[in-house]
Amino acid sequence: MSIATTVVGSYPKPPDEGKPFTLRKTLHALERSDATPDDVKAAQDDLAREVIAEQEAAGIDVITDGQVRWDDIVTPFARHMAGFSIGGLLRFFDNNTYYRRPICTGPVEWRGPATVDDYKFAASVATHEVKAVICGPVTFAHLSVDEHYGDYEEFVLAIARVLAQEAFELEAAGAKTIQIDEPALLGAPEDLELADTALNVIVEALERSETSTTLSTYFGDAKRLGPELFKLPVDTFGFDLVSGVENVRLIEDVPPEKTVQAGIVDARNTRLEAVPQLIRTIESLVDIVGPGRLTISPSAGLEYLPREKARAKLQLLTEAGKRVGA
């Protein structure tokens, strides 16, 4: 039995070098009024099919739609919340990518699902399990400006209540796994107790006991959070073992009823990993948590890589996982 594999979320949108980037061309045509929103949706659908097929061909067990319709991890949700406007571009953590900063100007309220239709489309064309991904409430708040509440805890919990509705709708659409991305939590250990409260709001909105939840952290290590992290009400904890090599020590404290998603291939560096080294890393993790409690993945979303490199890294990941399982 091979070690289970997954991705963190995003996938490169540009095609292999030399091939036409249809989605970009369609978006530019829309700006010139030479295309319609339906044309953009069709291009997004085609791109989602492509990246789903590439993940499945690489042997990834649990995939995503590559977040091909997302500009970043907060904008898709902020656009579907009352109380937010979309501000200017800011750097996304320490990457050479940017996000549009949400600005809270009024009460945050549910205004309909943000990603459910995207999930349904992906599930309809995929042959492997598709997991849903939402931005965590702490990260959402850290990446936003609050001009309404004036109270950080109240702001986070208002966001959590809307994300809880999104999670409920995703579960109702068939999602068996819901990943909650909280990279900002790594630099905010003071928010750990608040994160517990906010995540409980989301998890308690789910109706099926078999729906699995994952807390995904990346772009660093979680040592400042310590073992208290494992009190958070999720089933799986995702760690970046490339930018956060010390996360291996923290994994030793994962309770036996929890599982681990370990990011072992570098999602931000084009250098391809050697399979023997990946095998050694996986074997060391299996020694810590056991094969049934381990899923391996890239260290973060793959959007930072050229398409061919992302594809190659997924193939290396699955090859190493199969060889350990054998």
Side-chain angles (χ1 to χ4, degrees), residues 64-109:
T64 70
D65 69 350
Q67 298 173 352
V68 300
R69 306 171 205 272
W70 296 21
D71 296 324
D72 51 65
I73 68 169
V74 288
T75 302
F77 303 98
R79 289 194 189 281
H80 284 78
M81 294 181 186
F84 274 107
S85 61
I86 307 300
L89 293 170
L90 288 178
R91 189 170 179 173
F92 185 63
F93 292 89
D94 61 346
N95 302 291
N96 290 323
T97 56
Y98 297 83
Y99 75 99
R100 293 194 176 277
R101 195 171 197 181
I103 302 171
C104 180
T105 57
V108 176
E109 296 176 351

mmCIF file of all heavy atoms in Angstrom, residues 64-109:
data_model
loop_
_atom_site.group_PDB
_atom_site.id
_atom_site.type_symbol
_atom_site.label_atom_id
_atom_site.label_comp_id
_atom_site.label_asym_id
_atom_site.label_seq_id
_atom_site.Cartn_x
_atom_site.Cartn_y
_atom_site.Cartn_z
ATOM 1 N N THR A 64 -7.223 18.973 -5.987
ATOM 2 C CA THR A 64 -8.067 20.165 -5.997
ATOM 3 C C THR A 64 -8.289 20.569 -7.454
ATOM 4 O O THR A 64 -7.727 19.958 -8.366
ATOM 5 C CB THR A 64 -7.423 21.359 -5.245
ATOM 6 O OG1 THR A 64 -6.301 21.836 -6.019
ATOM 7 C CG2 THR A 64 -6.961 20.946 -3.849
ATOM 8 N N ASP A 65 -9.057 21.621 -7.657
ATOM 9 C CA ASP A 65 -9.235 22.132 -9.020
ATOM 10 C C ASP A 65 -8.112 23.087 -9.407
ATOM 11 O O ASP A 65 -8.170 23.754 -10.430
ATOM 12 C CB ASP A 65 -10.591 22.819 -9.172
ATOM 13 C CG ASP A 65 -10.697 24.120 -8.396
ATOM 14 O OD1 ASP A 65 -9.803 24.415 -7.574
ATOM 15 O OD2 ASP A 65 -11.685 24.859 -8.596
ATOM 16 N N GLY A 66 -7.061 23.141 -8.582
ATOM 17 C CA GLY A 66 -5.931 24.016 -8.860
ATOM 18 C C GLY A 66 -6.190 25.472 -8.557
ATOM 19 O O GLY A 66 -5.351 26.322 -8.798
ATOM 20 N N GLN A 67 -7.398 25.766 -8.018
ATOM 21 C CA GLN A 67 -7.785 27.152 -7.711
ATOM 22 C C GLN A 67 -7.592 28.057 -8.932
ATOM 23 O O GLN A 67 -7.185 29.213 -8.821
ATOM 24 C CB GLN A 67 -7.004 27.660 -6.498
ATOM 25 C CG GLN A 67 -7.292 26.847 -5.238
ATOM 26 C CD GLN A 67 -6.422 27.197 -4.058
ATOM 27 O OE1 GLN A 67 -5.470 27.968 -4.182
ATOM 28 N NE2 GLN A 67 -6.729 26.631 -2.905
ATOM 29 N N VAL A 68 -7.936 27.517 -10.097
ATOM 30 C CA VAL A 68 -7.687 28.249 -11.345
ATOM 31 C C VAL A 68 -8.587 29.469 -11.491
ATOM 32 O O VAL A 68 -8.301 30.360 -12.296
ATOM 33 C CB VAL A 68 -7.856 27.325 -12.572
ATOM 34 C CG1 VAL A 68 -6.878 26.167 -12.511
ATOM 35 C CG2 VAL A 68 -9.286 26.802 -12.690
ATOM 36 N N ARG A 69 -9.669 29.532 -10.713
ATOM 37 C CA ARG A 69 -10.571 30.689 -10.793
ATOM 38 C C ARG A 69 -10.237 31.735 -9.721
ATOM 39 O O ARG A 69 -10.885 32.773 -9.663
ATOM 40 C CB ARG A 69 -12.019 30.220 -10.617
ATOM 41 C CG ARG A 69 -12.423 29.121 -11.581
ATOM 42 C CD ARG A 69 -13.788 28.544 -11.216
ATOM 43 N NE ARG A 69 -13.954 27.188 -11.704
ATOM 44 C CZ ARG A 69 -14.426 26.869 -12.912
ATOM 45 N NH1 ARG A 69 -14.798 27.819 -13.736
ATOM 46 N NH2 ARG A 69 -14.531 25.605 -13.292
ATOM 47 N N TRP A 70 -9.253 31.448 -8.875
ATOM 48 C CA TRP A 70 -8.914 32.337 -7.770
ATOM 49 C C TRP A 70 -7.801 33.287 -8.185
ATOM 50 O O TRP A 70 -6.824 32.879 -8.805
ATOM 51 C CB TRP A 70 -8.435 31.543 -6.562
ATOM 52 C CG TRP A 70 -9.423 30.619 -5.932
ATOM 53 C CD1 TRP A 70 -10.549 30.098 -6.500
ATOM 54 C CD2 TRP A 70 -9.361 30.078 -4.615
ATOM 55 N NE1 TRP A 70 -11.194 29.271 -5.614
ATOM 56 C CE2 TRP A 70 -10.488 29.242 -4.444
ATOM 57 C CE3 TRP A 70 -8.462 30.225 -3.560
ATOM 58 C CZ2 TRP A 70 -10.738 28.547 -3.259
ATOM 59 C CZ3 TRP A 70 -8.701 29.531 -2.381
ATOM 60 C CH2 TRP A 70 -9.827 28.710 -2.236
ATOM 61 N N ASP A 71 -7.909 34.549 -7.743
ATOM 62 C CA ASP A 71 -6.784 35.472 -7.857
ATOM 63 C C ASP A 71 -5.821 35.279 -6.695
ATOM 64 O O ASP A 71 -4.618 35.480 -6.829
ATOM 65 C CB ASP A 71 -7.271 36.924 -7.877
ATOM 66 C CG ASP A 71 -8.127 37.232 -9.100
ATOM 67 O OD1 ASP A 71 -7.820 36.692 -10.176
ATOM 68 O OD2 ASP A 71 -9.105 37.983 -8.968
ATOM 69 N N ASP A 72 -6.350 34.917 -5.530
ATOM 70 C CA ASP A 72 -5.569 34.684 -4.318
ATOM 71 C C ASP A 72 -6.481 33.944 -3.348
ATOM 72 O O ASP A 72 -7.603 33.585 -3.702
ATOM 73 C CB ASP A 72 -5.067 36.010 -3.719
ATOM 74 C CG ASP A 72 -6.196 37.033 -3.560
ATOM 75 O OD1 ASP A 72 -7.110 36.768 -2.763
ATOM 76 O OD2 ASP A 72 -6.163 38.086 -4.229
ATOM 77 N N ILE A 73 -6.040 33.732 -2.101
ATOM 78 C CA ILE A 73 -6.839 32.886 -1.205
ATOM 79 C C ILE A 73 -7.943 33.640 -0.464
ATOM 80 O O ILE A 73 -8.790 33.001 0.172
ATOM 81 C CB ILE A 73 -5.962 32.143 -0.173
ATOM 82 C CG1 ILE A 73 -5.333 33.095 0.845
ATOM 83 C CG2 ILE A 73 -4.898 31.325 -0.861
ATOM 84 C CD1 ILE A 73 -4.693 32.372 2.024
ATOM 85 N N VAL A 74 -7.950 34.970 -0.538
ATOM 86 C CA VAL A 74 -8.997 35.706 0.182
ATOM 87 C C VAL A 74 -10.049 36.332 -0.723
ATOM 88 O O VAL A 74 -11.229 36.385 -0.356
ATOM 89 C CB VAL A 74 -8.395 36.809 1.098
ATOM 90 C CG1 VAL A 74 -7.713 36.205 2.303
ATOM 91 C CG2 VAL A 74 -7.430 37.703 0.323
ATOM 92 N N THR A 75 -9.650 36.795 -1.908
ATOM 93 C CA THR A 75 -10.586 37.522 -2.765
ATOM 94 C C THR A 75 -11.846 36.731 -3.126
ATOM 95 O O THR A 75 -12.953 37.299 -3.090
ATOM 96 C CB THR A 75 -9.876 38.004 -4.046
ATOM 97 O OG1 THR A 75 -8.770 38.843 -3.686
ATOM 98 C CG2 THR A 75 -10.826 38.790 -4.927
ATOM 99 N N PRO A 76 -11.751 35.430 -3.464
ATOM 100 C CA PRO A 76 -12.986 34.715 -3.814
ATOM 101 C C PRO A 76 -14.035 34.753 -2.705
ATOM 102 O O PRO A 76 -15.238 34.797 -2.980
ATOM 103 C CB PRO A 76 -12.501 33.278 -4.063
ATOM 104 C CG PRO A 76 -11.054 33.406 -4.368
ATOM 105 C CD PRO A 76 -10.578 34.554 -3.557
ATOM 106 N N PHE A 77 -13.580 34.739 -1.454
ATOM 107 C CA PHE A 77 -14.509 34.745 -0.325
ATOM 108 C C PHE A 77 -14.974 36.158 0.002
ATOM 109 O O PHE A 77 -16.153 36.396 0.270
ATOM 110 C CB PHE A 77 -13.851 34.085 0.882
ATOM 111 C CG PHE A 77 -13.387 32.687 0.599
ATOM 112 C CD1 PHE A 77 -12.061 32.424 0.273
ATOM 113 C CD2 PHE A 77 -14.282 31.625 0.616
ATOM 114 C CE1 PHE A 77 -11.636 31.137 -0.021
ATOM 115 C CE2 PHE A 77 -13.873 30.339 0.318
ATOM 116 C CZ PHE A 77 -12.548 30.085 0.003
ATOM 117 N N ALA A 78 -14.044 37.119 -0.020
ATOM 118 C CA ALA A 78 -14.403 38.505 0.296
ATOM 119 C C ALA A 78 -15.439 39.048 -0.679
ATOM 120 O O ALA A 78 -16.322 39.821 -0.294
ATOM 121 C CB ALA A 78 -13.152 39.384 0.292
ATOM 122 N N ARG A 79 -15.354 38.649 -1.941
ATOM 123 C CA ARG A 79 -16.304 39.127 -2.952
ATOM 124 C C ARG A 79 -17.713 38.605 -2.683
ATOM 125 O O ARG A 79 -18.690 39.158 -3.201
ATOM 126 C CB ARG A 79 -15.857 38.697 -4.345
ATOM 127 C CG ARG A 79 -14.625 39.425 -4.864
ATOM 128 C CD ARG A 79 -14.450 39.197 -6.343
ATOM 129 N NE ARG A 79 -13.177 39.699 -6.836
ATOM 130 C CZ ARG A 79 -12.915 40.978 -7.108
ATOM 131 N NH1 ARG A 79 -13.852 41.881 -6.919
ATOM 132 N NH2 ARG A 79 -11.725 41.340 -7.561
ATOM 133 N N HIS A 80 -17.828 37.535 -1.903
ATOM 134 C CA HIS A 80 -19.140 36.955 -1.619
ATOM 135 C C HIS A 80 -19.582 37.214 -0.178
ATOM 136 O O HIS A 80 -20.451 36.528 0.347
ATOM 137 C CB HIS A 80 -19.122 35.450 -1.899
ATOM 138 C CG HIS A 80 -19.164 35.129 -3.357
ATOM 139 N ND1 HIS A 80 -18.055 35.219 -4.155
ATOM 140 C CD2 HIS A 80 -20.184 34.746 -4.173
ATOM 141 C CE1 HIS A 80 -18.377 34.880 -5.396
ATOM 142 N NE2 HIS A 80 -19.656 34.597 -5.429
ATOM 143 N N MET A 81 -18.967 38.199 0.462
ATOM 144 C CA MET A 81 -19.365 38.596 1.804
ATOM 145 C C MET A 81 -19.853 40.036 1.784
ATOM 146 O O MET A 81 -19.165 40.915 1.242
ATOM 147 C CB MET A 81 -18.196 38.491 2.788
ATOM 148 C CG MET A 81 -17.683 37.102 3.046
ATOM 149 S SD MET A 81 -16.326 37.155 4.269
ATOM 150 C CE MET A 81 -15.791 35.447 4.262
ATOM 151 N N ALA A 82 -21.009 40.278 2.368
ATOM 152 C CA ALA A 82 -21.417 41.661 2.594
ATOM 153 C C ALA A 82 -20.470 42.275 3.611
ATOM 154 O O ALA A 82 -20.015 41.610 4.541
ATOM 155 C CB ALA A 82 -22.852 41.690 3.108
ATOM 156 N N GLY A 83 -20.154 43.547 3.448
ATOM 157 C CA GLY A 83 -19.296 44.241 4.400
ATOM 158 C C GLY A 83 -17.871 44.418 3.937
ATOM 159 O O GLY A 83 -17.091 45.093 4.603
ATOM 160 N N PHE A 84 -17.510 43.818 2.773
ATOM 161 C CA PHE A 84 -16.140 43.934 2.284
ATOM 162 C C PHE A 84 -16.101 44.653 0.941
ATOM 163 O O PHE A 84 -16.960 44.446 0.078
ATOM 164 C CB PHE A 84 -15.503 42.552 2.105
ATOM 165 C CG PHE A 84 -14.882 41.999 3.359
ATOM 166 C CD1 PHE A 84 -15.498 40.955 4.035
ATOM 167 C CD2 PHE A 84 -13.703 42.518 3.867
ATOM 168 C CE1 PHE A 84 -14.944 40.438 5.188
ATOM 169 C CE2 PHE A 84 -13.136 42.007 5.028
ATOM 170 C CZ PHE A 84 -13.762 40.962 5.684
ATOM 171 N N SER A 85 -15.084 45.484 0.777
ATOM 172 C CA SER A 85 -14.691 45.972 -0.537
ATOM 173 C C SER A 85 -13.285 45.442 -0.793
ATOM 174 O O SER A 85 -12.603 44.988 0.124
ATOM 175 C CB SER A 85 -14.711 47.506 -0.593
ATOM 176 O OG SER A 85 -13.789 48.053 0.348
ATOM 177 N N ILE A 86 -12.871 45.493 -2.048
ATOM 178 C CA ILE A 86 -11.573 44.930 -2.413
ATOM 179 C C ILE A 86 -10.584 46.063 -2.656
ATOM 180 O O ILE A 86 -10.818 46.941 -3.488
ATOM 181 C CB ILE A 86 -11.681 44.036 -3.656
ATOM 182 C CG1 ILE A 86 -12.766 42.970 -3.455
ATOM 183 C CG2 ILE A 86 -10.338 43.378 -3.958
ATOM 184 C CD1 ILE A 86 -12.537 42.047 -2.278
ATOM 185 N N GLY A 87 -9.481 46.053 -1.900
ATOM 186 C CA GLY A 87 -8.494 47.119 -1.984
ATOM 187 C C GLY A 87 -7.375 46.828 -2.964
ATOM 188 O O GLY A 87 -7.519 46.021 -3.887
ATOM 189 N N GLY A 88 -6.246 47.481 -2.739
ATOM 190 C CA GLY A 88 -5.112 47.371 -3.652
ATOM 191 C C GLY A 88 -4.280 46.133 -3.411
ATOM 192 O O GLY A 88 -4.542 45.325 -2.518
ATOM 193 N N LEU A 89 -3.232 46.015 -4.220
ATOM 194 C CA LEU A 89 -2.375 44.837 -4.181
ATOM 195 C C LEU A 89 -1.329 44.958 -3.085
ATOM 196 O O LEU A 89 -0.708 46.007 -2.896
ATOM 197 C CB LEU A 89 -1.676 44.657 -5.528
ATOM 198 C CG LEU A 89 -2.570 44.291 -6.719
ATOM 199 C CD1 LEU A 89 -1.767 44.396 -8.008
ATOM 200 C CD2 LEU A 89 -3.145 42.901 -6.549
ATOM 201 N N LEU A 90 -1.116 43.845 -2.375
ATOM 202 C CA LEU A 90 -0.053 43.738 -1.388
ATOM 203 C C LEU A 90 0.683 42.420 -1.602
ATOM 204 O O LEU A 90 0.115 41.457 -2.123
ATOM 205 C CB LEU A 90 -0.609 43.775 0.040
ATOM 206 C CG LEU A 90 -1.131 45.117 0.557
ATOM 207 C CD1 LEU A 90 -1.674 44.931 1.966
ATOM 208 C CD2 LEU A 90 -0.022 46.166 0.562
ATOM 209 N N ARG A 91 1.926 42.377 -1.160
ATOM 210 C CA ARG A 91 2.719 41.153 -1.312
ATOM 211 C C ARG A 91 2.137 40.049 -0.442
ATOM 212 O O ARG A 91 1.752 40.284 0.705
ATOM 213 C CB ARG A 91 4.169 41.428 -0.921
ATOM 214 C CG ARG A 91 5.120 40.282 -1.240
ATOM 215 C CD ARG A 91 6.551 40.722 -1.064
ATOM 216 N NE ARG A 91 7.480 39.637 -1.334
ATOM 217 C CZ ARG A 91 8.784 39.788 -1.386
ATOM 218 N NH1 ARG A 91 9.320 40.993 -1.199
ATOM 219 N NH2 ARG A 91 9.569 38.757 -1.631
ATOM 220 N N PHE A 92 2.088 38.848 -0.989
ATOM 221 C CA PHE A 92 1.530 37.696 -0.293
ATOM 222 C C PHE A 92 2.642 36.986 0.468
ATOM 223 O O PHE A 92 3.458 36.272 -0.115
ATOM 224 C CB PHE A 92 0.862 36.749 -1.282
ATOM 225 C CG PHE A 92 0.145 35.589 -0.644
ATOM 226 C CD1 PHE A 92 -0.944 35.803 0.193
ATOM 227 C CD2 PHE A 92 0.549 34.293 -0.887
ATOM 228 C CE1 PHE A 92 -1.607 34.733 0.782
ATOM 229 C CE2 PHE A 92 -0.113 33.217 -0.319
ATOM 230 C CZ PHE A 92 -1.187 33.434 0.529
ATOM 231 N N PHE A 93 2.714 37.236 1.781
ATOM 232 C CA PHE A 93 3.766 36.713 2.644
ATOM 233 C C PHE A 93 5.123 37.077 2.033
ATOM 234 O O PHE A 93 5.314 38.214 1.638
ATOM 235 C CB PHE A 93 3.576 35.212 2.886
ATOM 236 C CG PHE A 93 2.336 34.933 3.727
ATOM 237 C CD1 PHE A 93 1.099 34.749 3.127
ATOM 238 C CD2 PHE A 93 2.416 34.895 5.107
ATOM 239 C CE1 PHE A 93 -0.046 34.517 3.893
ATOM 240 C CE2 PHE A 93 1.283 34.668 5.887
ATOM 241 C CZ PHE A 93 0.059 34.484 5.276
ATOM 242 N N ASP A 94 6.057 36.116 1.928
ATOM 243 C CA ASP A 94 7.391 36.472 1.424
ATOM 244 C C ASP A 94 7.583 36.007 -0.016
ATOM 245 O O ASP A 94 8.696 35.694 -0.436
ATOM 246 C CB ASP A 94 8.485 35.877 2.325
ATOM 247 C CG ASP A 94 8.444 34.354 2.383
ATOM 248 O OD1 ASP A 94 7.431 33.771 1.954
ATOM 249 O OD2 ASP A 94 9.422 33.753 2.865
ATOM 250 N N ASN A 95 6.498 35.972 -0.765
ATOM 251 C CA ASN A 95 6.556 35.506 -2.152
ATOM 252 C C ASN A 95 6.549 36.678 -3.127
ATOM 253 O O ASN A 95 6.174 37.789 -2.774
ATOM 254 C CB ASN A 95 5.345 34.608 -2.445
ATOM 255 C CG ASN A 95 5.281 33.428 -1.514
ATOM 256 O OD1 ASN A 95 6.104 32.526 -1.586
ATOM 257 N ND2 ASN A 95 4.301 33.427 -0.616
ATOM 258 N N ASN A 96 6.906 36.396 -4.359
ATOM 259 C CA ASN A 96 6.825 37.413 -5.408
ATOM 260 C C ASN A 96 5.455 37.361 -6.090
ATOM 261 O O ASN A 96 5.335 37.439 -7.310
ATOM 262 C CB ASN A 96 7.942 37.205 -6.435
ATOM 263 C CG ASN A 96 9.304 37.540 -5.871
ATOM 264 O OD1 ASN A 96 9.448 38.485 -5.093
ATOM 265 N ND2 ASN A 96 10.314 36.759 -6.233
ATOM 266 N N THR A 97 4.436 37.178 -5.282
ATOM 267 C CA THR A 97 3.053 37.205 -5.751
ATOM 268 C C THR A 97 2.285 38.180 -4.861
ATOM 269 O O THR A 97 2.744 38.539 -3.764
ATOM 270 C CB THR A 97 2.400 35.816 -5.689
ATOM 271 O OG1 THR A 97 2.496 35.312 -4.336
ATOM 272 C CG2 THR A 97 3.082 34.843 -6.632
ATOM 273 N N TYR A 98 1.112 38.570 -5.324
ATOM 274 C CA TYR A 98 0.356 39.606 -4.631
ATOM 275 C C TYR A 98 -1.099 39.182 -4.462
ATOM 276 O O TYR A 98 -1.600 38.309 -5.169
ATOM 277 C CB TYR A 98 0.441 40.925 -5.412
ATOM 278 C CG TYR A 98 1.859 41.437 -5.491
ATOM 279 C CD1 TYR A 98 2.740 40.957 -6.471
ATOM 280 C CD2 TYR A 98 2.329 42.362 -4.573
ATOM 281 C CE1 TYR A 98 4.053 41.400 -6.526
ATOM 282 C CE2 TYR A 98 3.642 42.819 -4.628
ATOM 283 C CZ TYR A 98 4.498 42.335 -5.600
ATOM 284 O OH TYR A 98 5.789 42.765 -5.640
ATOM 285 N N TYR A 99 -1.765 39.808 -3.498
ATOM 286 C CA TYR A 99 -3.189 39.581 -3.298
ATOM 287 C C TYR A 99 -3.870 40.942 -3.156
ATOM 288 O O TYR A 99 -3.226 41.951 -2.849
ATOM 289 C CB TYR A 99 -3.439 38.715 -2.055
ATOM 290 C CG TYR A 99 -3.255 39.450 -0.737
ATOM 291 C CD1 TYR A 99 -4.346 39.958 -0.040
ATOM 292 C CD2 TYR A 99 -1.980 39.651 -0.198
ATOM 293 C CE1 TYR A 99 -4.183 40.645 1.155
ATOM 294 C CE2 TYR A 99 -1.800 40.337 0.992
ATOM 295 C CZ TYR A 99 -2.910 40.824 1.663
ATOM 296 O OH TYR A 99 -2.739 41.519 2.838
ATOM 297 N N ARG A 100 -5.169 40.956 -3.367
ATOM 298 C CA ARG A 100 -5.929 42.199 -3.197
ATOM 299 C C ARG A 100 -6.491 42.233 -1.785
ATOM 300 O O ARG A 100 -7.224 41.338 -1.379
ATOM 301 C CB ARG A 100 -7.047 42.284 -4.241
ATOM 302 C CG ARG A 100 -6.516 42.433 -5.641
ATOM 303 C CD ARG A 100 -7.576 42.862 -6.631
ATOM 304 N NE ARG A 100 -6.991 43.074 -7.955
ATOM 305 C CZ ARG A 100 -6.383 44.185 -8.339
ATOM 306 N NH1 ARG A 100 -6.299 45.211 -7.507
ATOM 307 N NH2 ARG A 100 -5.876 44.289 -9.558
ATOM 308 N N ARG A 101 -6.156 43.270 -1.047
ATOM 309 C CA ARG A 101 -6.480 43.324 0.372
ATOM 310 C C ARG A 101 -7.954 43.656 0.599
ATOM 311 O O ARG A 101 -8.430 44.720 0.177
ATOM 312 C CB ARG A 101 -5.617 44.379 1.064
ATOM 313 C CG ARG A 101 -5.609 44.257 2.582
ATOM 314 C CD ARG A 101 -4.584 45.175 3.190
ATOM 315 N NE ARG A 101 -4.300 44.786 4.564
ATOM 316 C CZ ARG A 101 -3.451 45.423 5.358
ATOM 317 N NH1 ARG A 101 -2.807 46.481 4.892
ATOM 318 N NH2 ARG A 101 -3.236 45.016 6.589
ATOM 319 N N PRO A 102 -8.693 42.764 1.260
ATOM 320 C CA PRO A 102 -10.092 43.068 1.580
ATOM 321 C C PRO A 102 -10.177 44.162 2.648
ATOM 322 O O PRO A 102 -9.375 44.193 3.590
ATOM 323 C CB PRO A 102 -10.641 41.740 2.115
ATOM 324 C CG PRO A 102 -9.661 40.699 1.672
ATOM 325 C CD PRO A 102 -8.336 41.387 1.640
ATOM 326 N N ILE A 103 -11.146 45.042 2.494
ATOM 327 C CA ILE A 103 -11.366 46.121 3.466
ATOM 328 C C ILE A 103 -12.773 45.972 4.021
ATOM 329 O O ILE A 103 -13.759 46.022 3.266
ATOM 330 C CB ILE A 103 -11.197 47.498 2.801
ATOM 331 C CG1 ILE A 103 -9.792 47.625 2.191
ATOM 332 C CG2 ILE A 103 -11.445 48.619 3.818
ATOM 333 C CD1 ILE A 103 -9.615 48.864 1.326
ATOM 334 N N CYS A 104 -12.860 45.776 5.330
ATOM 335 C CA CYS A 104 -14.162 45.604 5.978
ATOM 336 C C CYS A 104 -14.733 46.978 6.311
ATOM 337 O O CYS A 104 -14.169 47.718 7.122
ATOM 338 C CB CYS A 104 -14.031 44.758 7.247
ATOM 339 S SG CYS A 104 -15.593 44.508 8.114
ATOM 340 N N THR A 105 -15.875 47.298 5.700
ATOM 341 C CA THR A 105 -16.491 48.608 5.898
ATOM 342 C C THR A 105 -17.871 48.520 6.536
ATOM 343 O O THR A 105 -18.521 49.545 6.739
ATOM 344 C CB THR A 105 -16.608 49.340 4.547
ATOM 345 O OG1 THR A 105 -17.362 48.515 3.638
ATOM 346 C CG2 THR A 105 -15.235 49.619 3.949
ATOM 347 N N GLY A 106 -18.317 47.300 6.831
ATOM 348 C CA GLY A 106 -19.641 47.113 7.428
ATOM 349 C C GLY A 106 -19.761 45.716 8.004
ATOM 350 O O GLY A 106 -18.797 44.943 7.985
ATOM 351 N N PRO A 107 -20.924 45.353 8.525
ATOM 352 C CA PRO A 107 -21.108 44.027 9.111
ATOM 353 C C PRO A 107 -20.824 42.926 8.085
ATOM 354 O O PRO A 107 -21.289 43.000 6.941
ATOM 355 C CB PRO A 107 -22.588 44.025 9.516
ATOM 356 C CG PRO A 107 -22.962 45.470 9.637
ATOM 357 C CD PRO A 107 -22.147 46.191 8.622
ATOM 358 N N VAL A 108 -20.051 41.938 8.508
ATOM 359 C CA VAL A 108 -19.709 40.818 7.625
ATOM 360 C C VAL A 108 -20.854 39.813 7.650
ATOM 361 O O VAL A 108 -21.213 39.302 8.711
ATOM 362 C CB VAL A 108 -18.397 40.146 8.073
ATOM 363 C CG1 VAL A 108 -18.095 38.928 7.205
ATOM 364 C CG2 VAL A 108 -17.246 41.146 8.012
ATOM 365 N N GLU A 109 -21.417 39.537 6.477
ATOM 366 C CA GLU A 109 -22.573 38.640 6.403
ATOM 367 C C GLU A 109 -22.458 37.742 5.182
ATOM 368 O O GLU A 109 -21.827 38.080 4.187
ATOM 369 C CB GLU A 109 -23.879 39.452 6.326
ATOM 370 C CG GLU A 109 -24.151 40.298 7.568
ATOM 371 C CD GLU A 109 -25.389 41.157 7.419
ATOM 372 O OE1 GLU A 109 -25.940 41.220 6.300
ATOM 373 O OE2 GLU A 109 -25.801 41.782 8.422
#
